[in-house]
Structure formats: structure tokens, C-alpha cells
Amino acid sequence: MSQVPTNTSRMEKVVSLCKRRGFIFQSSEIYGGLNGFWDYGPLGSELKRNVKELWWQAMTRFRDDIVGLDASIIMHPQIWKASGHVDTFADPMVDCLLTKKRYRADQIEPQSGVIYFYTGARAADTELNEPYSVLLAAGKPAESARKVAKQYYALRGIADAELLGETTEKAENTTAYNPENGSLFTPPQMFNLMFKTYIGAAESSENIAYLRPETAQAIFVQFKNVVDTARQKVPFGICQIGKAFRNEINPRNYTFRSREFEQMELEFFIKPEEIVEKQHGTVATPDGTPAGTEPQPNWGWEVWHKYWVEQRLNWYESIGLPRESLELFFQPKEELAHYARACVDILYKFPFGTQELEGIAARGNFDLTQHQTHSGKSMEYFDQEAAAKYVPHVIEPSAGVDRLLLALLCNAFDEEEVTDEKGKSETRIVMRLHPRVAPIKVGIFPLLKNKPELVSKAIEVRDLLRPHMNVFYDETGAIGRRYRRQDEAGTPFGITIDFDTIGENGPEFEGTVTLRHRDSMKQERVKISELLAFLLPQIR
RNA sequence: GCGGGUGUAGCUCAAUGGUAGAGCGGUAGCCUUCCAAGCUACUUACGAGGGUUCGAUUCCCUUCACCCGCUCCA
């Protein structure tokens, strides 16, 4: 498995296979495609269903303390006011007029000094009346401002310019100039990342609504309803899988950053530390808590946070992403959003770089409090055991489904040299997807198509397995070709119905099939009656 | 959004200012007793729009998409 930071050719092979085998297609391809949107083909949609199903199971079915939610994508616009998305989910951007580099306007260091204004420039045969200005630190020679200005006009086609209309002015704490070279920036442009739409027929400002930029807010907004109906006590969680939309400035890296994507989010509500302390006398910290322990009532938020990081890492391993393909990134305190207490990202080593799959944030009670303030409805929870009312705090593991699929596909992709009995070597492409996520669990092949006994027996086996797993029946072409086709689809098992199966080579083999393993290409004989018992534990 | 690159069949690639070809694949048939065998037939493309031209896949412009770098990113 490649550990090279960027590996373009490997990524290209993955992309090509995804298209060839029907994992991922470009959205609206016959109309030329649409930037930032992707579709999942037959194999991709199965893969995606499996991943979401496994997450849902791990979160809700195998736990008593988490329940599900499936909320609408368009919600009351006030929600996005309360969450801060309307105001802060927009980045003001500026471009340097000289270098064309783009910066976030709110991250420009304010500068003071002298501004040199020009009205234009003139060369032997041309003149350009386009104002431009340069900021110089106090005391620097005017000549360096002129040098920058000449570079600027040279870019505009006025070489060796004579600068026109130079004036100067003092400036304090301006962010309109590039600190690196003094050049003027373009005026700030706002990029709000939320998709806007209108509810009802009239496109007026009162009808503005947004496609949700994250699924989390729906959980906070429905917190009270869930508390009232689900018979859960804090600590408990609400989870949701669903689409979210962000009008990315620059979608990149295949499906990694798309404008429409799917999230799997959990909001796990916990007691504020003062309540824990009141009830138990002490608050457990990560240092005093052995890894992998069951949740305890005296846990503080830091232990819960660590607990969820470990839970999530274990889950990724359980679906086939090895621990060494993942990295943890602890966001430094100074880079955290104002409401967050801590955030750990789980990163995967993609061929195009190590990138985030999931963020696990400790968000305090920011969100519930915000909605309490904006809606005027109490978000307080009455804790009978503690005899106290409080707004719960929250730990938020938030994962991107599409990113995860891409990670699984990149991780599974493998090329190996195989040598046949005649000594001829060739490249085998195999998707080593974990059986749990594999789109097709087992391929079922009659050894020969023109032998009715083999075909009918194969169909019998297909119908035996079909209620329990996704099977693929294939009778065309040579058996080796059918195996290799399934290798690219990531199908972990192949079952071949041969002449042993129908008893032609002795009664001791009757009712057995060839079971072929994708990864090792090894074959073994298994009784049809034992197939389910063999396969089920591996795919669940 | 800026700069660079690329767009020809499902994939990988070729050729050409005179109307596109291969390999692999796919489909159907024959054959075939375990790892992409063979034979036959079929299938499918110049990203889109405009211009120059008698004629454009080829030259020019615009646009769209993808890739790389910058930028951004929950």
C-alpha cells in the first residue's frame, strides 16, 4: 500500500476503475458534467448503502444510548441564523492584483504606512488610465513603490511604463494591501457557502431558505422532541445520516470535496461537569481512565471526547481501513471555532494527500443555547438523578460518507503480478474491499454454461444465498474471466458449481462447491449446506 | 477565482484541413472440466457552441468538464 503523500497515477487508476466498473460517474455527464457533483453507479450505490447501514447499526442498533433521526433538508431559515451559518459561513476573499494570489480578507494583517497612488501609466505608444496604488512601510524609498507599480502596469501590457499622477497619503491599519508586496487587493468578495432557494412561488426575500450545510442542526432543533419521546436519559445521543450542500468555491479531488454530499453525524449529549461533580464528587479525566472502558457516570467531557475518538477509530478498522492508513489531527486551541472546546480530526492518507474523513468536536452547549435564545424555547433538560436542570453539552463525531467511500476505494485498490501455470505473468487488479462493505458478497458461477445440470444447480445456490446477501450470478465466458471481473468489483467470494457438485467425480464430493477467495485466489471445497454458516459471519 | 495542463469508443491510446483506427472491454453465438484461452458477429467516440474555410476532430475564439499548483475548506 502506497504511503507516498501524493500519487497521481494511482489516483487516476482508481478513478478509471470506478468509471469502468460502475462505482462512480460524473453527474450529468452527457451534458458535459457539473462541477462538484457526482453519481454512484450500481456498485457504488451498493457500497454506499453498506457503509451507511454499518454506521447506523454501530450507532443505534448495537447501543442502547443512541437513537436516530431523519430530518428534512430545508428547515426554518432562523436555524441558520442561530447556528451562525448565515453570518459566518461566508468568507470575504481578496485577490492580490500583482500576484493574483487569493487571500481571506479577514486574515490579512493590518498595515500602516504611506500609500502611493497612480492614475495610470504610459509607454512609447500606449497609455492606460487605470488607477493603482501601493502601500509602503513608513520610511521606505518611493522608488520601491514605483517598482511595484511598474510591475503591475507591465502585467497590463505597458512595459517600461512612465507612471502617471503619483500622489501619496498616510494610512493606518489598512487591510486593502498585500503585506507581502504592498500591492493593492481587489475589493473583498463574499462567498457564502450555503445554497439558497425560495419556498413557494414568489422569489422574495421573505421566502429565502437554505439547503442545509450540515445535518447537525436538525438534531439540536429536534432535541426536545426526542427527549420527550425516546425515553432516553443524558448521557445519550441522536444520530442522523443525510445529504448536505455547500456551494464550494473550488470543488477538488474527485468526490472528496463535492457540493452535494452526505454526512453521518452523531450528537452525543452529556452532563455539564458541575453536574457530574455534584453527583459523583469528582470528574474523571482522560489520564485516570483506561482506554476502551465502558462509559462511566463520572466521566467529564474530555473522557467522553476521547472515548468517541476511539470508538470511531475502531469502527473504521472494522470496515477495512487499517489503523496505519489513518492519522489523528488534534486541532490547536487557537484554531478552534469559538464555541468548540476541542476537535480531533480523523484523517486518511489519500493518494492526493492526507485529508479529513471525520471531525470529532466537543462543542460545549453552544448549539442548544443558541437555539434556546433564538427560538425562545427552553432547551433545558431535567435530570431526575441529579435533581438539576441544565442545557446538556455535546460531543459531535461528524463523518463524510462520500469521503469515506473514496478512502475505502483508494485503500482497496491493488495491482499485483500473478504468474499462471505456463509461467506467463500479468497484472491482476483487485479491489480488496472488506467483505462487510463489498457491493457484491459472492459471485455464483456454473463452471460451464452449456451443461444444464451445472446451470440449474448454480441457480439453486443463488436462490439459497440471495435472501441473505447481494449475490451476482454469471455464466458467460471462461471461469477465469468471471473471477477477474469480480476481483475488480471487490467481490470477496466466488462459488463455482462444477462436476464434483453434481456427483460426477464420486459421491463423496456431491453437494460441494468450489469456494474461491478474492484476495489469495485460493480455492477450497465447501458443502452447499454449510455455505451460509461460512459466509454470514464474514459479511456482517 | 488565478496560473499551467488535458479533452478522440466503456477503458488505454493512435492518425488526419478531405469525414476516424487499434488493443482491451461489453453484448450474442459456438467452443471450453477452475484464474482475463480461441473463433464468429455485433456494439460504441472527435466535450459543447461559434468563427475561418469549398470542406474543421485538426486552425482561431468562447464555454464546459477534469487534472496539477495557488487559494479555500466543516
Side-chain angles (χ1 to χ4, degrees), chain A residues 20-300:
Chain A
R20 184 168 74 241
R21 286 297 166 188
F23 281 99
I24 296 171
F25 303 130
Q26 201 174 11
S27 165
S28 319
E29 194 188 270
I30 61 168
Y31 287 98
L34 194 58
N35 191 334
F37 297 91
W38 300 90
D39 295 344
Y40 291 97
L43 290 181
S45 52
E46 289 286 347
L47 177 65
K48 193 174 189 187
R49 291 179 83 93
N50 291 341
V51 166
K52 290 196 286 183
E53 184 65 20
L54 286 162
W55 185 89
W56 192 259
Q57 276 181 5
M59 285 296 172
T60 64
R61 305 261 165 88
F62 291 166
R63 298 182 67 109
D64 293 324
D65 57 354
I66 297 177
V67 293
L69 183 73
D70 190 346
S72 63
I73 286 170
I74 294 178
M75 298 186 286
H76 199 290
Q78 280 283 313
I79 289 171
W80 307 111
K81 267 279 180 206
S83 68
H85 284 86
V86 171
D87 297 324
T88 64
F89 215 59
D91 295 329
M93 308 290 297
V94 293
D95 296 334
C96 174
L97 286 168
L98 193 62
T99 63
K100 312 272 191 194
K101 278 194 184 180
R102 170 161 289 186
Y103 301 87
R104 268 180 62 174
D106 55 351
Q107 289 179 352
I108 301 294
E109 199 72 25
Q111 309 286 306
S112 299
V114 180
I115 303 173
Y116 287 73
F117 290 98
Y118 301 95
T119 58
R122 182 163 53 210
D125 48 350
T126 43
E127 184 170 322
L128 183 66
N129 289 308
E130 203 176 279
Y132 179 67
S133 53
V134 180
L135 177 73
L136 280 194
K140 281 210 168 184
E143 211 35 58
S144 45
R146 292 174 193 140
K147 200 174 149 196
V148 172
K150 281 182 182 178
Q151 282 176 31
Y152 169 77
Y153 287 112
L155 284 176
R156 301 289 167 126
I158 313 285
D160 290 323
E162 175 195 341
L163 298 168
L164 301 175
E166 181 180 289
T167 52
T168 60
E169 192 180 299
K170 283 198 170 165
E172 294 285 333
N173 294 324
T174 172
T175 55
Y177 295 85
N178 190 341
E180 284 170 29
N181 56 21
S183 169
L184 183 68
F185 281 130
T186 58
Q189 254 191 297
M190 292 300 278
F191 290 91
N192 193 302
L193 298 180
M194 281 199 291
F195 275 95
K196 210 181 272 184
T197 187
Y198 299 92
I199 298 175
E203 293 193 2
S204 76
S205 58
E206 296 126 58
N207 298 339
I208 286 183
Y210 301 97
L211 305 192
R212 64 183 178 198
E214 60 172 39
T215 55
Q217 294 306 320
I219 296 178
F220 296 122
V221 168
Q222 292 291 5
F223 171 72
K224 279 301 238 186
N225 277 333
V226 175
V227 166
D228 290 345
T229 54
R231 305 187 57 239
Q232 289 285 345
K233 286 187 228 166
V234 173
F236 81 100
I238 305 174
C239 70
Q240 172 166 232
I241 300 177
K243 288 271 175 115
F245 302 81
R246 291 181 193 179
N247 211 349
E248 291 293 344
I249 298 162
N250 189 4
R252 265 294 169 84
N253 288 325
Y254 202 31
T255 60
F256 182 81
R257 178 168 297 122
S258 316
R259 293 193 162 117
E260 173 176 341
F261 57 100
E262 205 154 6
Q263 291 184 304
M264 307 187 289
E265 291 196 306
L266 166 68
E267 303 299 334
F268 196 81
F269 298 98
I270 57 174
K271 302 181 189 202
E273 298 214 327
E274 57 271 23
I275 302 293
V276 175
E277 190 167 12
K278 182 179 153 195
Q279 275 188 283
H280 304 282
T282 57
V283 178
T285 59
D287 302 338
T289 314
T293 52
E294 285 297 300
Q296 299 299 320
N298 67 340
W299 279 9

Side-chain angles (χ1 to χ4, degrees), chain A residues 346-377:
Chain A
I346 298 179
L347 315 173
Y348 173 76
K349 294 168 185 164
F350 285 98
F352 50 80
T354 301
Q355 300 270 359
E356 178 186 346
L357 288 183
E358 169 162 353
I360 299 154
R363 292 171 71 101
N365 63 5
F366 173 81
D367 300 275
L368 286 178
T369 305
Q370 282 293 104
H371 288 301
Q372 180 166 280
T373 309
H374 280 76
S375 68
K377 303 284 190 317

Side-chain angles (χ1 to χ4, degrees), chain A residues 2-18:
Chain A
S2 170
Q3 297 293 318
V4 183
T6 57
N7 189 334
T8 307
S9 75
R10 178 181 172 82
M11 197 59 212
E12 279 168 5
K13 285 174 184 170
V14 172
V15 170
S16 163
L17 182 138
C18 284

